[in-house]
């Protein structure tokens, strides 16, 4: 457990190969930097912050590129109109690719919320909502709302990412804001 009452959990995530392929395809689409140029890609464990009846989790990562200029170019590409259009097109495909045999996703909505950080502390966010459709043992469909909020902020050659996933309800905005502020503060204190 940590200060947020969170505990490590099994992650909601795609297989590594799918992430790598999707990352390269997205970078190409958005005009960003190929993720294979990263110097480091450090991922936190996923932490459970929801309840058993309404599971949610958060995780973070730090991706380091060879220079601050490359990181700034990549961040600008993601944040651009072209990058947003690519995200809106590709995220539904990524969800579809990660679905298991008995699980699939319904229609996907992608929106771009305003920054959760105060003026001068820029972050970029993407909100994804869908429905997880699973087959029960009896063959009936079980539909559960699914939410993913993905945030990025830039710190020199590093891009710090926060992912928040919720079933039934999105992770509260106040929780995301506190976590982003914490990540921003740590990035400022430990610049590369």
């Amino acid at each position: 457990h940590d200060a947020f009452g969170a505990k490590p959990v099994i992650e909601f995530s795609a297989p590594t190969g799918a992430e790598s392929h999707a990352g390269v395809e997205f970078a190409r689409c958005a005009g960003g930097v190929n993720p294979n140029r990263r110097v480091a890609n450090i991922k936190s464990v996923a932490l459970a912050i929801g309840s058993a009846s309404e599971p949610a989790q958060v995780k973070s990562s730090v991706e380091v590129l060879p220079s601050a200029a490359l990181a700034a170019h990549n961040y600008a590409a993601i944040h651009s109109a072209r990058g947003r259009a690519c995200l809106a097109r590709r995220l539904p495909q990524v969800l579809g690719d990660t679905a298991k045999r008995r699980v699939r996703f319904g229609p996907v909505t992608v929106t771009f919320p305003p920054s959760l950080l105060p003026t001068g502390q820029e972050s970029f966010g993407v909100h994804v909502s869908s429905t997880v459709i699973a087959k029960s043992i009896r063959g009936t469909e079980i539909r559960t709302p699914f939410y993913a909020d993905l945030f990025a902020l830039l710190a020199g050659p590093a891009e710090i990412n926060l992912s928040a996933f919720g079933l039934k309800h999105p992770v509260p905005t106040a929780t995301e804001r506190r976590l982003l502020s914490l990540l921003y503060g740590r990035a400022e204190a430990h610049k590369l």
Side-chain angles (χ1 to χ4, degrees), residues 162-176:
L162 172 67
S163 302
F165 304 98
L167 287 176
K168 296 188 182 175
H169 298 285
V171 172
T173 301
T175 300
E176 294 174 339

Side-chain angles (χ1 to χ4, degrees), residues 62 155-158 160 182-192:
V62 177
I160 294 92
L182 178 67
L183 290 171
Y184 184 87
R186 287 181 180 172
E188 286 296 302
H190 303 286
K191 285 191 174 180
L192 297 175

Side-chain angles (χ1 to χ4, degrees), residues 16-112:
T16 304
E19 286 177 346
S20 300
H21 179 70
V24 170
E25 290 299 313
F26 171 71
R28 187 176 299 137
C29 176
V33 177
N34 186 319
N36 293 325
R37 294 192 65 191
R38 291 183 295 217
V39 175
N41 184 19
I42 303 161
K43 297 179 181 188
S44 74
V45 296
L47 299 172
I49 60 171
S51 65
S53 62
E54 296 181 7
Q57 74 176 34
V58 294
K59 62 182 180 175
S60 63
S61 67
V62 177
E63 298 178 19
V64 182
L65 287 168
S67 70
L70 275 176
H73 170 79
N74 194 57
Y75 185 83
I78 294 167
H79 198 273
S80 71
R82 176 180 170 183
R84 289 173 190 241
C86 289
L87 281 168
R89 246 188 346 269
R90 305 224 27 89
L91 284 172
Q93 293 171 340
V94 170
L95 281 180
D97 291 347
T98 62
K100 305 287 187 232
R101 195 179 87 188
R102 298 179 66 111
V103 176
R104 70 182 198 285
F105 288 91
V108 178
T109 302
V110 178
T111 58
F112 302 94

Side-chain angles (χ1 to χ4, degrees), residues 120-131:
Q121 298 178 359
E122 185 180 352
S123 71
F124 173 72
V126 179
H127 176 75
V128 179
S129 58
S130 184
T131 303

